[in-house]
Amino acid sequence: MGDHPTTRSCSPPIDICSSIATIAIPPCNDTTTTLFVFYTTCCFHGRALGKLVPVYPGQSLLSSTDVFLCPAFFDLTPNPNRMEVSLDTEAIAAGLGNAPLTPFRSTLSPWYGHYRVICENDLSLSPRSICRSVLSKFPRGTAFKSAFEYEFSVGSISPQNSVFTPAFPLDIFSQHTLATSPKILEFATTVVSQGELMTPPVKITTINSEYSAGQLELPLTPLLGIESPDAAFTFKEIVRRTAAELSLSATFCSKVNFGSGSGSGSGSGSGSNEGCGSGGHFNFSLPGVSPAEQDCFVAGVLDHVAGITALCCPSLPCYHRQGAWSPTTNNYGEENRMCCIRGKNKNDKGGAGRYFELRLPSSACNPYLVVAAVVACGADGVLRGLTMGEIGVKAVPDSLETALVALREDDVVCNAFGHRFIQIFTNVKAGEIDEFNRKVQEGLRIEEIYGEMYIKWM
């Protein structure tokens, strides 16, 4: 089947199914139908990679033998027509061999008549593995609780020029007609129904339309630790699947509409009337952490804003949104939507109900990378005893190119993610920039370029 990875820079998984044959996984009780289990892992771009594994009648739902996937798939650009593997010297030296898709039993869930389980593959590159490793260093007696608020657009994509056409005639000014839209109710009902079946549960708090036509926002409920990015990763796949069942496309690309309105992000509003991209929300709280250390944690995140921008805003369309409900500097404000981090419930007794809203991520972000970046940088702030007054005003990078430079120069982030991950991630993103510039030289319009490179795939 292939060879195991030669190096693993992260600590071994805690709840991993390392000996599947000895774990009591329910058998397939259907005596006539072959089911499939989707062994899925999250790529750099937040999309699902993996393999379908058949489960024959009477067999365990999780295979007793290893399932493999070549880690070179992490080198794919969002539009999987290009693989930036040439600079991955470690993978090439190992012969581009396979690595096991190692399933986490706790995530095994029904999936549209079959099953799905979240896996990790090549622990030095797997976003989930890196996130879990960073979270494992959180002090005992404390916790990291978070939730993503995703905006996305639903519509159709032209097969001729990849231009996006919204499906719903609703925007931010259509809240009064939201409940009377049968298409949105059908869409939301399907998303909620499938989400309730998942482990961890994928539950939403509200549904509302956003700035651009066809754009919706569905915030997720907060969860602890790795469960929050697990739910966010799953939510995006449910949304795409639901749209496909309605003969539509759903995209988390940060910019899909041109001329007026905004694109979509992992958060609230966005945009002016100039077709900018959208801002984002990533809400987090720190149960068990004192208010003073919470301040240090937030100061640490703000101090590293430049270094984490490429992880929070990982594609070219993300950079249209800055200045329109999206941060341009690393500022902080209580109940202030114009700041990079917005504090909420500051006066809550003991800080137990206090939480924070990072407005930097776009909807194109990989949830595992955002959680890992925030926790690593926040922990650095606590370690240094950093205060808001010490960090100074720093600009948010205004392009993917400058964000990648800042990422490479941030030692805290590079050490937390591992230098191999940083090398491969930046190689892939540099490949996106090269492809975009080539298409511009060919005379393609920006909406056509984004359609081909991102809207179809994110």
Side-chain angles (χ1 to χ4, degrees):
M1 297 279 291
D3 36 310
H4 289 249
T6 56
T7 60
R8 296 194 176 193
S9 61
C10 296
S11 58
I14 297 169
D15 62 333
I16 208 161
C17 296
S18 56
S19 181
I20 299 264
T22 64
I23 294 174
I25 300 296
C28 173
N29 294 321
D30 193 320
T31 59
T32 60
T33 304
T34 298
L35 297 175
F36 285 88
V37 178
F38 182 30
Y39 280 58
T40 180
T41 190
C42 185
C43 74
F44 287 172
H45 315 294
R47 293 300 308 266
L49 296 172
K51 290 189 175 181
L52 287 171
V53 178
V55 179
Y56 297 100
Q59 286 187 337
S60 169
L61 285 174
L62 292 183
S63 175
S64 59
T65 59
D66 284 336
V67 178
F68 290 90
L69 183 73
C70 180
F73 284 108
F74 285 114
D75 297 288
L76 286 169
T77 55
N79 178 345
N81 64 358
R82 180 167 174 161
M83 185 177 284
E84 303 294 331
V85 74
S86 60
L87 298 180
D88 188 352
T89 54
E90 185 173 322
I92 293 174
L96 296 176
N98 290 331
L101 279 169
T102 316
F104 281 68
R105 174 188 176 185
S106 61
T107 67
L108 181 66
S109 306
W111 188 251
Y112 298 96
H114 297 271
Y115 286 85
R116 172 183 180 268
V117 65
I118 296 177
C119 306
E120 292 176 9
N121 171 259
D122 192 333
L123 303 188
S124 64
L125 292 180
S126 167
R128 188 182 192 273
S129 178
I130 291 169
C131 181
R132 197 171 40 75
S133 176
V134 173
L135 284 167
S136 71
K137 298 176 177 62
F138 221 66
R140 291 188 180 276
T142 63
F144 186 80
K145 194 172 187 178
S146 63
F148 287 82
E149 295 186 20
Y150 276 118
E151 292 175 3
F152 56 92
S153 298
V154 180
S156 57
I157 300 174
S158 168
Q160 284 76 37
N161 56 17
S162 300
V163 171
F164 180 87
T165 302
F168 307 133
L170 300 176
D171 57 22
I172 194 67
F173 305 108
S174 303
Q175 303 299 338
H176 60 291
T177 60
L178 183 66
T180 60
S181 172
K183 281 189 176 181
I184 289 184
L185 287 173
E186 179 184 6
F187 184 91
T189 299
T190 305
V191 170
V192 169
S193 298
Q194 180 61 36
E196 290 176 342
L197 300 176
M198 306 307 296
T199 306
V202 179
K203 294 185 177 181
I204 64 174
T205 60
T206 58
I207 300 168
N208 60 275
S209 54
E210 269 297 342
Y211 272 84
S212 293
Q215 186 184 45
L216 300 176
E217 180 185 71
L218 278 68
L220 302 179
T221 57
L223 293 169
L224 289 170
I226 197 69
E227 288 191 342
S228 174
D230 276 350
F233 169 50
T234 300
F235 169 77
K236 295 175 96 170
E237 294 301 312
I238 291 174
V239 166
R240 295 186 185 101
R241 171 69 183 255
T242 301
E245 289 183 346
L246 298 174
S247 300
L248 297 169
S249 296
T251 180
F252 290 82
C253 180
S254 301
K255 183 175 178 63
V256 296
N257 295 320
F258 295 79
S260 65
S262 71
S264 58
S266 74
S268 85
S270 40
S272 64
N273 292 322
E274 299 178 353
C276 61
S278 68
H281 288 175
F282 171 61
N283 296 305
F284 65 92
S285 62
L286 302 162
V289 178
S290 69
E293 288 193 327
Q294 290 183 24
D295 290 341
C296 294
F297 188 99
V298 171
V301 176
L302 292 173
D303 195 42
H304 291 279
V305 156
I308 68 174
T309 296
L311 301 169
C312 293
C313 305
S315 64
L316 291 166
C318 300
Y319 295 86
H320 289 271
R321 63 190 178 85
Q322 286 184 331
W325 303 100
S326 176
T328 57
T329 62
N330 64 332
N331 53 350
Y332 176 87
E334 295 292 336
E335 295 295 350
N336 190 337
R337 283 189 170 90
M338 310 306 292
C339 292
C340 186
I341 292 184
R342 172 190 180 193
K344 299 183 179 182
N345 292 348
K346 180 179 181 180
N347 296 324
D348 180 79
K349 186 177 180 179
R354 190 181 182 196
Y355 69 102
F356 307 92
E357 177 185 276
L358 176 64
R359 300 183 63 83
L360 182 62
S362 79
S363 60
C365 71
N366 182 318
Y368 296 109
L369 302 186
V370 172
V371 170
V374 169
V375 171
C377 296
D380 178 63
V382 174
L383 181 66
R384 294 157 57 196
L386 201 60
T387 66
M388 298 288 188
E390 294 176 307
I391 60 176
V393 178
K394 300 177 183 178
V396 174
D398 61 0
S399 69
L400 184 56
E401 295 96 324
T402 56
L404 292 173
V405 171
L407 173 60
R408 295 188 194 100
E409 293 177 347
D410 193 310
D411 290 339
V412 169
V413 179
C414 288
N415 289 333
F417 280 74
H419 289 273
R420 183 174 179 229
F421 172 88
I422 297 297
Q423 178 197 29
I424 305 306
F425 180 85
T426 54
N427 288 347
V428 170
K429 295 302 166 183
E432 291 177 34
I433 295 170
D434 290 344
E435 184 174 358
F436 175 83
N437 291 334
R438 177 177 58 80
K439 291 180 182 297
V440 169
Q441 294 298 317
E442 293 173 356
L444 294 178
R445 295 178 299 161
I446 189 170
E447 53 263 48
E448 294 176 314
I449 300 174
Y450 283 176
E452 183 178 334
M453 289 183 62
Y454 296 111
I455 294 174
K456 284 183 177 180
W457 309 103
M458 300 201 80

